[in-house]
Amino acid sequence: MTDARQQDLLNTASRLRELGRVPEAIAAYRALLAAYPDLPDSWYNLGYLCRQAGLASDAMAAYDEALKRGIQGAEEVYLNRAALYSDAMARPADAKADLEKAIALNPAYLPAYLNLGNLHEDLGDRAGAKAAYLRAIELKPNNAIALSRLAGLGRATSPDDPMILRIKAALGSGMLLPADKALLLFALGRLQDSCGAFAAAAESFAAANAGARIAASGNVAPYSGPEELVRADRCAAAFSTPNARVGGLLAPSPQPVFIVGMFRSGSTLLEQILGSHSQISAGGELEMVTRIARGLGWDPAAIAAAPAANIDEYAQAYLQRIRTMFPGAQVVTDKRPDNFWFVGLIKRMFPGARILNTVRHPLDTLVSVWTQYLSSSLPYGYSPEDIASHLYAERRMMAHWERLYPGDILSVQYEQLVKNPEPEIRRVLSFLNLPFEPACLEFHHSTRAVRTASVWQVREPLHDRSIGRWKNYEQYFRSLPPHPALSALLAIESAGKSN
């Protein structure tokens, strides 16, 4: 029987959780469980909150307690543990084991098959991914996630390819939420692209992005190109001179290397190449810098003025996190492209940090972003016009950082990397003070997990098929109403043709 004090503590913790006050809710659940430990659902809630807060070890410990105390629906706990192993601990084998435990407990548990398929994709196991998605579709025939991911495992041979027809049938059911419809439209567009039906693909991508924008409405503010340029100017004003050493670690261990730039500009390819080096561990898209920026108040001026003691504390926490994820690593890459906003913060935490800026033809980058379902936290991705505006903001920001830290930032051109790989790889490794290793040219044989939209591209040998891809959509872009940023990119390309 629940006593009055237990109920009061439980109500307080639950209320704080519902309000999204995560640190306070964690403290409240800990107080509750210290006094009343035999509450498996509360242990689960504590684990969920700790995961939200980036406290991976604490989250895992709380989930263990929930299982130990006989929680009902244990398959959901194993699903969450698997996500922790995969996302926060870089332990894909443990993630796979927990997903298999979830399926053993509940063979009809759809989320476990979806996550298992995604994990197989991360690991380059196409057959395993296909089997998991097919099982998910058996459980729920028109599941948009399973169908879209299954479609992403192959290419279409013609506009009437069976997978294209299957997705069109699902789209015609009239039973889809906007987010699910967008997923299937993106998958349809990519299949149409793969068989050369570019006009149809453009229509699918435009509809997909319109649906994605609707699905994201209410979660994030609408994108504004002018506001991003103002943000870039505010960052430049806050960090107007190279830092004297006001906080930060001069000789961090392991040594972080930051890969920044535009999404879809070759950052995953570069990291896969570097991750094949014996002294480099590929960290993937870590979120720690963004979390630290948020903890310092988010505003560029506040970050620039943060006390040295705070900077040192965050730098140590960053290092401890990557030590936990990659024990014994010497160099760890942090490939979060939009960390280009936070180069000033990075250089405060790690004054000697090396930064790699991936650069690709702007219109090829634009097409690659436009044809992917990006997170709602990246609201510029829904139209060619907004992507072009974001690209200008990114270029402006990186030009500022390169002026400020000219010896610590190296631009890596995607086209050069794929056309002349060995000289370019040698140049990058020299910048990182590391010797060249032939394994870097055999990166596509790596079995490490890759957790981005480029998962299958980086498991192929280098090729130049994606260079000039934007030309397949030139006619569509030129048919759009004039827009300053997009029109400028197209005008530059036209001027280049005439020279």
Side-chain angles (χ1 to χ4, degrees):
M1 181 178 292
T2 303
D3 63 36
R5 179 168 179 265
Q6 177 181 338
Q7 190 61 54
D8 184 54
L9 289 170
L10 180 58
N11 289 342
T12 298
S14 299
R15 184 171 63 254
L16 290 168
R17 174 172 55 85
E18 290 165 3
L19 292 171
R21 293 161 63 176
V22 174
E24 295 164 271
I26 288 173
Y29 273 108
R30 283 176 171 157
L32 167 68
L33 292 164
Y36 304 94
D38 198 22
L39 297 172
D41 289 347
S42 293
W43 281 112
Y44 174 84
N45 288 333
L46 176 60
Y48 181 80
L49 289 163
C50 288
R51 184 181 166 202
Q52 278 189 293
L55 303 172
S57 296
D58 291 354
M60 192 63 76
Y63 288 139
D64 287 345
E65 288 290 339
L67 291 170
K68 186 191 303 181
R69 296 173 191 279
I71 190 169
Q72 296 295 307
E75 63 270 24
E76 188 171 348
V77 181
Y78 282 115
L79 183 79
N80 280 274
R81 279 167 47 100
L84 271 173
Y85 278 132
S86 181
D87 298 348
M89 297 180 174
R91 292 164 59 179
D94 290 322
K96 182 173 180 287
D98 268 10
L99 290 171
E100 289 170 347
K101 289 176 185 176
I103 290 169
L105 286 170
N106 183 354
Y109 189 41
L110 179 68
Y113 291 103
L114 295 175
N115 282 26
L116 183 60
N118 192 58
L119 181 62
H120 280 306
E121 286 199 72
D122 293 347
L123 295 170
D125 180 359
R126 200 181 297 265
K130 182 177 181 179
Y133 295 143
L134 286 173
R135 176 60 179 140
I137 290 168
E138 286 177 14
L139 294 170
K140 191 172 181 182
N142 277 342
N143 181 266
I145 296 174
L147 271 177
S148 64
R149 291 181 180 172
L150 183 63
L153 295 176
R155 299 169 61 86
T157 56
S158 70
D160 58 356
D161 184 273
M163 183 56 75
I164 287 180
L165 298 179
R166 186 172 188 175
I167 290 179
K168 285 183 174 180
L171 286 166
S173 69
M175 303 294 289
L176 297 170
L177 296 172
D180 291 338
K181 186 174 181 180
L183 263 179
L184 291 177
L185 282 165
F186 275 113
L188 176 62
R190 286 192 291 274
L191 288 171
Q192 291 165 329
D193 178 284
S194 72
C195 67
F198 300 117
E203 293 180 8
S204 296
F205 289 133
N209 278 292
R213 191 193 297 272
I214 292 170
S217 62
N219 295 331
V220 292
Y223 175 77
S224 167
E227 286 182 11
E228 273 214 326
L229 292 177
V230 169
R231 180 183 181 186
D233 289 342
R234 290 179 64 237
C235 284
F239 293 92
S240 58
T241 59
N243 294 322
R245 186 175 181 269
V246 184
L249 306 179
L250 286 174
S253 179
Q255 176 69 51
V257 170
F258 297 88
I259 301 175
V260 304
M262 281 285 293
F263 280 96
R264 313 295 296 160
S265 63
S267 57
T268 302
L269 172 62
L270 177 60
E271 185 179 55
Q272 185 79 340
I273 290 170
L274 293 178
S276 300
H277 194 283
S278 63
Q279 297 181 47
I280 301 176
S281 296
E285 291 184 2
L286 306 178
E287 296 183 354
M288 289 177 282
V289 172
T290 303
R291 287 180 181 273
I292 291 167
R294 187 178 295 115
L296 289 169
W298 201 256
D299 181 74
I303 294 171
N310 287 21
I311 294 295
D312 288 351
E313 182 180 353
Y314 278 119
Q316 292 287 4
Y318 180 101
L319 291 179
Q320 184 54 47
R321 175 73 179 277
I322 59 176
R323 287 188 198 114
T324 300
M325 294 180 71
F326 305 99
Q330 300 175 57
V331 178
V332 176
T333 54
D334 182 340
K335 186 202 76 71
R336 178 74 189 187
D338 53 357
N339 277 344
F340 72 81
W341 290 114
F342 306 119
V343 170
L345 168 60
I346 289 168
K347 295 297 287 182
R348 282 208 67 190
M349 292 194 297
F350 308 110
R354 292 287 168 142
I355 296 165
L356 299 169
N357 174 33
T358 55
V359 181
R360 184 182 181 187
H361 188 293
L363 288 167
D364 278 340
T365 305
L366 185 154
V367 166
S368 197
V369 171
W370 183 59
T371 57
Q372 294 291 331
Y373 198 162
L374 297 184
S375 162
S376 62
S377 64
L378 306 172
Y380 62 82
Y382 303 132
S383 74
E385 298 91 339
D386 286 351
I387 300 166
S389 295
H390 178 71
L391 194 148
Y392 272 105
E394 183 267 340
R395 294 277 171 104
R396 179 181 294 190
M397 199 71 260
M398 286 311 303
H400 171 75
W401 297 130
E402 286 169 353
R403 285 192 298 270
L404 211 58
Y405 304 107
D408 294 340
I409 299 175
L410 182 72
S411 290
V412 183
Q413 189 79 32
Y414 170 80
E415 291 80 5
Q416 285 299 314
L417 188 60
V418 300
K419 288 182 175 180
N420 301 294
E422 185 170 334
E424 195 68 2
I425 294 167
R426 286 182 180 276
R427 187 175 72 96
V428 172
L429 291 172
S430 176
F431 175 73
L432 301 178
N433 298 311
L434 293 171
F436 174 77
E437 292 182 358
C440 293
L441 292 169
E442 302 296 323
F443 66 92
H444 50 286
H445 295 310
S446 171
T447 58
R448 77 170 187 88
V450 178
R451 306 190 65 251
T452 76
S454 304
V455 59
W456 293 115
Q457 292 95 316
V458 298
R459 298 198 184 279
E460 298 180 283
L462 286 170
H463 61 79
D464 61 3
R465 293 194 304 271
S466 295
I467 296 176
R469 182 185 175 207
W470 74 273
K471 295 174 185 176
N472 298 323
Y473 298 95
E474 181 176 8
Q475 184 176 350
Y476 174 79
F477 294 150
R478 293 191 184 281
S479 74
L480 297 172
H483 179 274
L486 180 59
S487 297
L489 291 181
L490 292 168
I492 292 169
E493 187 62 32
S494 295
K497 287 179 181 177
S498 65
N499 290 335

